[in-house]
């Protein structure tokens, strides 16, 4: 009877242990990464009342089984359901990480300060020292570091310090590529102006400082011929100061193609208060040292405008400079000395068979424009300014005031008009349109009376020396910068064109140098770019490598013009420059860390305000031959045992077998409440049955004692 009592007691103990395990499972139903356990029982030793005997052939007696009485149950083992994953809980936090296993069970490797242990609980955070740690314990998460080349170095795992002083910022990058896109419209006013159409390119040096290169596009030549120029107007730093104001490098050194158009950049530079006289003094210092003569310059376009013949085929080509010498007191030499230069500064000899009737330079003759009153009257008739007479055919009436103005212009001796409302009659050859005669309708009488017929032979010679006040003197931008003439320093090779003006009404213009810039040719068939600078070339380089020979913080920037077009766009140009080309060479300023992320292989990336993304490390995982053999040490952690397999100190990559690490998600407990409650019912029944055996055995013993009564 005592055996029954003790067997039942062992049954109570084993079922109590099972209930303890069930209670632990249910207690951890919401514990992150918890793995449920189950218990197994085994029988205790058996008491042999008699041993088994075999059959005896001689006596013919059969064998007898052993007589054994069991002595109860014992707790055999707990089995952890390590391979079954828990449900996913979405949190949205970058460092809530769930291990989604494919073929084998993985564990994060964390360090307690004394040893590496393992966990499935992926609730991590970054501590004050920048280390990735477990939220619950502060244990440091282990992984692989990044080498000097930015690649993961898969050696012994070490703590992942993902926010160190070194990676709080991302290094800047200088700009190496750019694009010029959009439309240049021939009908937009800015492309036809002296200032051109402005386009700015923002770029970075190797320290992350930003600069702005100012470009200008100008229409040149005949309308709809597809020809433009692109000039570099200046490069300014983030403080608005030109970086080209010293004596070492100029605009033409950086973008010099010698095909530009001397863009007017005056608006960017103002004479400082009280420095107007200094500008005039610099103009006087430009005298020829051999004879102290000043050199007055005129653009060929201006010469064509004031002196050019009506036949535009005989006009000077654009881009030439006409220069005349003036003695120190401001008067032209006699005879005048005039020369012509091209954009490179080389002297040009003009074809006298083409220009000889109005210009004869490279010698000692002046530029002149000979006009006659007869041609002016003819133009007035053709334009309708002089009306036909009603009295006779092929006759026109012209007012006396018109004739008086012509007489004064052509310096006739007699300019008085007849009395009344004088008018003259002009007869014209109907076949040729040439004027034949001109006379007063009512001659009248008086002294110095104008004879209209004299206008038919009157001529006037207009000379370049009559326009000295409109010529400009070139002033060195470098000298102006040294004196602080302008509120903002000029590029060292910019041209300052100082115009003395009449009665001290001086003015100035600042233009890009003639050696700066490139010609652009567009197709007249579809408006696409044909070339920039030379045939077949659709890009040009901003040669910033010329900026300094040593310690240059810039890189050359290749500017792609291939997508720039010349089209009608409602009179509006949209051309614009932007750094980078197809996502390359954009350049970047210094970036501050603005975010961290983990990909499915466990690689940790830092995101920066300059758009960079940098690899900071990789989370390594551990796998074991018998994961259920790990020893649970509490705090959601496990330690290796003799039966689990050992950790090699290196770990494996999570996605090596197709498994993933899911960011923003936690693995919940894999406890199944339905199973646990069912097991609880069966455990209760087993416990209850064992208690009944004890109470029954007790009753039998009581009856035995009562026999003595």
């Amino acid at each position: 009877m005592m055996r029954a009592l003790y067997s039942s007691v062992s049954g109570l103990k084993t079922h109590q242990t099972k209930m303890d395990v069930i209670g632990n499972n249910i207690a951890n139903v919401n514990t992150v990464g918890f793995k449920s356990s189950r218990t197994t029982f085994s029988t205790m030793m058996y008491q042999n009342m008699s041993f088994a005997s075999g059959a005896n052939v001689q006596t013919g007696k059969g064998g007898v089984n052993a007589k054994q009485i069991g002595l109860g149950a014992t707790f055999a083992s707990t089995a952890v359901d390590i391979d079954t994953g828990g449900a996913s809980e979405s949190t949205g936090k970058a460092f809530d990480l769930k291990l989604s296993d494919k073929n084998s069970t993985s564990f994060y490797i964390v360090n307690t300060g004394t040893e590496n242990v393992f966990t499935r609980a992926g609730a991590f955070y970054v501590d004050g020292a920048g280390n990735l740690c477990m939220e619950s314990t502060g244990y440091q998460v282990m992984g692989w570091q990044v080498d000097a080349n930015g690649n993961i170095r898969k050696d012994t795992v070490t703590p992942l310090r993902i926010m160190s002083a070194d990676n709080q910022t991302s290094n800047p990058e200088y700009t190496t590529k750019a694009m010029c896109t959009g439309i240049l419209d021939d009908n937009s006013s800015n492309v036809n102006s002296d200032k051109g159409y402005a386009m700015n390119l923002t770029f970075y040096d190797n320290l992350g400082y930003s600069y702005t290169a100012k470009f200008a596009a100008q229409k040149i030549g005949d309308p709809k011929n597809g020809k433009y120029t692109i000039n570099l107007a200046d490069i300014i730093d983030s403080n608005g100061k030109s970086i080209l104001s010293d004596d070492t490098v100029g605009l033409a050194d950086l973008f010099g193609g010698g095909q530009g158009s001397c863009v007017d950049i005056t608006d960017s530079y103002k004479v400082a208060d009280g420095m107007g006289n200094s500008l005039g003094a610099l103009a006087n210092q430009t005298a020829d040292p051999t004879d102290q003569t000043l050199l007055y310059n005129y653009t060929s376009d201006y010469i064509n405008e004031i002196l050019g013949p009506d036949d535009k085929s005989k006009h000077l080509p654009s881009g030439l400079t006409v220069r005349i010498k003036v003695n120190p007191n401001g008067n032209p030499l006699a005879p005048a000395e005039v020369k012509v230069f091209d954009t490179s500064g080389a002297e040009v000899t003009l074809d006298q068979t083409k220009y000889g009737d109005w210009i004869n330079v490279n010698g000692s003759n002046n530029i002149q424009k000979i006009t006659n009153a007869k041609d002016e009257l003819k133009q007035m008739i053709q334009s309708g300014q002089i009306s036909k007479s009603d009295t006779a055919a092929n006759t026109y009436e012209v007012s006396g005031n018109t004739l008086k103005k012509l007489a004064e212009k052509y310096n006739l001796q007699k300019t008085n008009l007849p009395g009344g409302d004088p008018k003259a009659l002009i007869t014209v050859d109907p076949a040729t349109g040439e004027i034949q005669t001109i006379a007063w309708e009512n001659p009248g009488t008086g002294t110095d009376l104008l004879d209209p017929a004299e206008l038919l032979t009157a001529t006037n010679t207009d000379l370049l020396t009559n326009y000295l006040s409109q010529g400009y003197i070139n002033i060195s931008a470098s000298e102006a910068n040294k004196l602080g003439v302008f509120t903002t320093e000029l590029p060292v090779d910019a041209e300052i064109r100082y115009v003395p003006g009449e009665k001290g009404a001086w003015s100035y213009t600042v233009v890009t140098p003639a050696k700066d810039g490139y010609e652009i040719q567009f197709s007249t068939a579809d408006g696409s770019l044909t070339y920039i600078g030379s045939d077949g070339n659709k890009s040009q380089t901003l040669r910033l490598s010329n900026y300094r020979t040593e310690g240059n913080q810039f890189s050359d920037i290749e500017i792609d013009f291939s997508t720039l077009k010349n089209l009608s766009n409602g009179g509006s140009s949209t051309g614009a420059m932007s750094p980078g080309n197809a996502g390359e060479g954009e350049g970047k300023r210094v970036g501050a860390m603005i975010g961290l992320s983990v990909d499915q292989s466990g690689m940790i990336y830092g995101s920066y305000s300059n758009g960079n993304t940098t690899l900071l490390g990789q989370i390594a995982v551990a796998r074991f031959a018998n994961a259920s053999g790990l020893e649970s040490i509490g705090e959601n952690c496990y330690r290796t045992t003799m039966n689990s397999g050992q950790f090699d100190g290196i770990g494996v990559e999570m996605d090596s077998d197709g498994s993933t690490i899911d960011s923003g998600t936690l693995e919940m407990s894999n406890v199944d409440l339905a199973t646990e409650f069912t097991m609880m019912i069966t455990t209760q029944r087993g416990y209850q049955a064992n208690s009944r055996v004890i109470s029954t055995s007790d009753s039998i013993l009581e009856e035995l004692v009562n026999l003595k009564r």
Side-chain angles (χ1 to χ4, degrees):
M1 197 56 59
M2 297 300 293
R3 284 193 296 266
L5 283 171
Y6 286 112
S7 293
S8 297
V9 169
S10 69
L12 291 177
K13 289 181 178 179
T14 54
H15 282 82
Q16 180 60 57
T17 302
K18 184 171 184 179
M19 195 64 191
D20 292 340
V21 173
I22 294 171
N24 184 60
N25 288 342
I26 295 176
N28 287 281
V29 69
N30 288 318
T31 300
V32 175
F34 177 78
K35 299 299 181 181
S36 64
S37 300
R38 64 183 178 87
T39 58
T40 58
F41 300 158
S42 65
T43 59
M44 292 180 69
M45 67 173 65
Y46 280 75
Q47 181 179 1
N48 292 319
M49 305 300 293
S50 66
F51 295 97
S53 61
N56 191 326
V57 178
Q58 294 177 351
T59 63
K61 189 176 181 180
V64 178
N65 291 331
K67 297 179 178 65
Q68 292 182 304
I69 299 175
L71 298 179
T74 187
F75 176 68
S77 68
T78 55
V80 181
D81 188 9
I82 201 79
D83 296 325
T84 302
S88 298
E89 177 187 2
S90 178
T91 66
K93 294 176 62 177
F95 288 115
D96 281 350
L97 306 174
K98 178 179 180 291
L99 296 172
S100 296
D101 296 313
K102 189 76 172 178
N103 298 313
S104 56
T105 304
S106 304
F107 295 84
Y108 297 113
I109 309 159
V110 295
N111 190 272
T112 65
T114 58
E115 64 174 330
N116 289 332
V117 294
F118 312 94
T119 183
R120 294 280 298 183
F124 302 139
Y125 81 112
V126 180
D127 70 5
N131 300 304
L132 188 62
C133 301
M134 288 182 69
E135 277 186 355
S136 57
T137 63
Y139 295 166
Q140 293 182 341
V141 180
M142 308 294 279
W144 299 312
Q145 307 299 330
V146 178
D147 64 19
N149 297 319
N151 300 315
I152 293 296
R153 186 178 63 251
K154 296 180 181 179
D155 55 7
T156 303
V157 293
T158 54
L160 289 171
R161 191 180 183 193
I162 59 177
M163 290 186 68
S164 64
D166 293 337
N167 61 28
Q168 289 300 295
T169 58
S170 175
N171 290 334
E173 300 173 8
Y174 47 49
T175 303
T176 59
K177 294 181 181 295
M179 293 189 69
C180 183
T181 59
I183 294 172
L184 295 179
D185 187 335
D186 289 354
N187 295 326
S188 61
S189 59
N190 39 25
V191 300
N192 293 291
S193 68
D194 293 336
K195 298 177 177 61
Y197 174 73
M199 296 184 291
N200 292 343
L201 172 62
T202 299
F203 64 94
Y204 298 96
D205 66 8
N206 63 344
L207 300 178
Y209 292 106
S210 66
Y211 301 82
T212 301
K214 295 184 174 183
F215 292 85
Q218 272 189 327
K219 182 79 182 71
I220 59 173
D222 298 330
K224 311 302 182 289
N225 67 348
K227 287 187 180 294
Y228 280 78
T229 62
I230 297 289
N231 282 70
L232 176 63
D234 202 354
I235 298 179
I236 60 175
D237 61 20
S238 57
N239 297 317
K241 181 181 178 181
S242 174
I243 68 171
L244 306 177
S245 56
D246 57 24
D247 292 333
T248 58
V249 65
L251 297 167
D253 297 310
L254 305 185
F255 205 65
Q259 301 172 338
S261 48
C262 295
V263 174
D264 184 349
I265 55 175
T266 310
D267 288 349
S268 299
Y269 307 99
K270 306 297 181 185
V271 173
D273 292 342
M275 296 302 293
N277 291 335
S278 297
L279 194 62
L282 285 175
N284 290 328
Q285 290 177 13
T286 62
D288 188 328
T290 58
D291 55 13
Q292 297 302 304
T293 54
L294 296 174
L295 301 175
Y296 279 65
N297 302 275
Y298 306 83
T299 65
S300 53
D301 291 337
Y302 180 71
I303 294 294
N304 292 333
E305 178 184 344
I306 61 172
L307 297 175
D310 296 332
D311 184 358
K312 292 186 177 181
S313 66
K314 294 186 177 182
H315 281 192
L316 292 173
S318 294
L320 299 181
T321 299
V322 178
R323 184 172 297 162
I324 183 170
K325 270 192 176 185
V326 177
N327 62 30
N329 61 15
N331 296 318
L333 302 181
E337 182 179 323
V338 182
K339 293 185 179 181
V340 180
F341 300 88
D342 63 17
T343 56
S344 68
E347 190 172 350
V348 176
T349 301
L350 297 177
D351 182 0
Q352 292 304 305
T353 61
K354 181 175 182 179
Y355 304 108
D357 56 346
W358 73 285
I359 183 170
N360 182 14
V361 297
N362 304 95
S364 59
N365 292 327
N366 210 335
I367 298 178
Q368 63 184 17
K369 181 177 183 179
I370 301 175
T371 58
N372 60 73
K374 182 178 180 181
D375 285 342
E376 287 200 44
L377 287 169
K378 181 180 176 181
Q379 290 175 5
M380 290 180 185
I381 292 172
Q382 292 174 344
S383 64
Q385 293 175 269
I386 298 177
S387 304
K388 274 191 173 184
S389 171
D390 296 332
T391 59
N394 303 320
T395 303
Y396 293 82
E397 294 181 356
V398 58
S399 69
N401 286 332
T402 298
L403 296 180
K404 181 177 177 64
K405 290 178 181 179
L406 284 173
E408 291 172 347
K409 177 178 179 179
Y410 285 91
N411 300 313
L412 296 186
Q413 294 297 318
K414 299 177 181 181
T415 58
N416 291 336
L417 302 178
D421 184 15
K423 59 183 175 181
L425 297 178
I426 301 174
T427 59
V428 176
D429 184 337
T432 63
E434 293 296 328
I435 296 176
Q436 295 175 319
T437 62
I438 178 172
W440 293 115
E441 184 178 46
N442 297 308
T445 59
T447 59
D448 295 328
L449 199 65
L450 171 63
D451 180 3
E454 292 184 8
L455 290 170
L456 299 184
T457 57
T459 61
N460 182 53
T461 302
D462 201 5
L463 300 173
L464 178 59
T465 50
N466 296 334
Y467 297 89
L468 285 181
S469 62
Q470 303 304 312
Y472 62 87
I473 301 172
N474 281 325
I475 297 176
S476 165
S478 177
E479 293 300 321
N481 288 341
K482 289 178 181 178
L483 292 179
V485 174
F486 293 89
T487 56
T488 303
E489 291 185 337
L490 281 67
V492 67
D493 60 345
E495 293 183 12
I496 305 174
R497 297 178 174 181
Y498 179 80
V499 181
E502 296 180 357
K503 299 180 181 180
W506 61 272
S507 62
Y508 70 92
T509 304
V510 183
V511 300
T512 56
K515 295 181 181 180
D516 173 37
Y518 293 90
E519 181 179 293
I520 282 187
Q521 177 66 62
F522 293 98
S523 167
T524 55
D526 60 10
S528 62
L529 182 74
T530 303
Y531 67 81
I532 175 170
S534 58
D535 287 343
N537 195 3
K538 296 190 176 182
S539 65
Q540 284 296 340
T541 300
L542 183 60
R543 298 183 296 274
L544 293 171
S545 58
N546 290 343
Y547 183 65
R548 288 196 181 114
T549 55
E550 295 182 3
N552 192 350
Q553 71 269 40
F554 299 110
S555 169
D556 286 347
I557 302 175
E558 182 182 0
I559 307 175
D560 182 359
F561 291 86
S562 62
T563 57
L564 188 64
K565 295 184 180 297
N566 177 214
L567 301 170
S568 174
N569 192 43
S572 176
S573 291
T574 62
M577 289 190 175
S578 58
N581 189 342
E584 295 182 0
E586 183 176 351
K588 296 172 182 177
R589 65 175 74 245
V590 175
M593 183 181 285
I594 58 175
L596 294 165
S597 61
V598 183
D599 72 5
Q600 291 189 330
S601 65
M603 290 188 177
I604 304 172
Y605 293 93
S607 300
Y608 297 86
S609 57
N610 63 359
N612 277 354
T613 300
T614 302
L615 180 61
L616 305 178
Q618 185 174 8
I619 298 172
V621 297
R623 293 184 182 135
F624 301 94
N626 175 26
S628 62
L630 292 169
E631 175 189 356
S632 179
I633 59 174
E635 297 180 324
N636 285 342
C637 293
Y638 301 89
R639 180 185 289 127
T640 59
T641 67
M642 295 293 291
N643 197 41
S644 65
Q646 296 301 308
F647 174 57
D648 63 3
I650 298 175
V652 295
E653 195 168 359
M654 183 61 184
D655 61 358
S656 60
D657 68 344
S659 301
T660 60
I661 295 178
D662 299 331
S663 178
T665 305
L666 287 176
E667 180 185 11
M668 300 306 295
S669 164
N670 68 349
V671 173
D672 183 354
L673 282 177
T675 300
E676 298 302 322
F677 282 130
T678 301
M679 294 299 294
M680 190 186 305
I681 293 171
T682 60
T683 302
Q684 180 186 10
R685 290 289 182 261
Y687 191 92
Q688 188 177 40
N690 278 278
S691 66
R692 290 295 181 268
V693 171
I694 293 174
S695 61
T696 301
S697 296
D698 178 58
S699 296
I700 292 173
L701 285 173
E702 184 178 357
E703 289 298 325
L704 178 62
V705 172
N706 287 339
L707 288 176
K708 182 176 180 292
R709 297 176 185 173

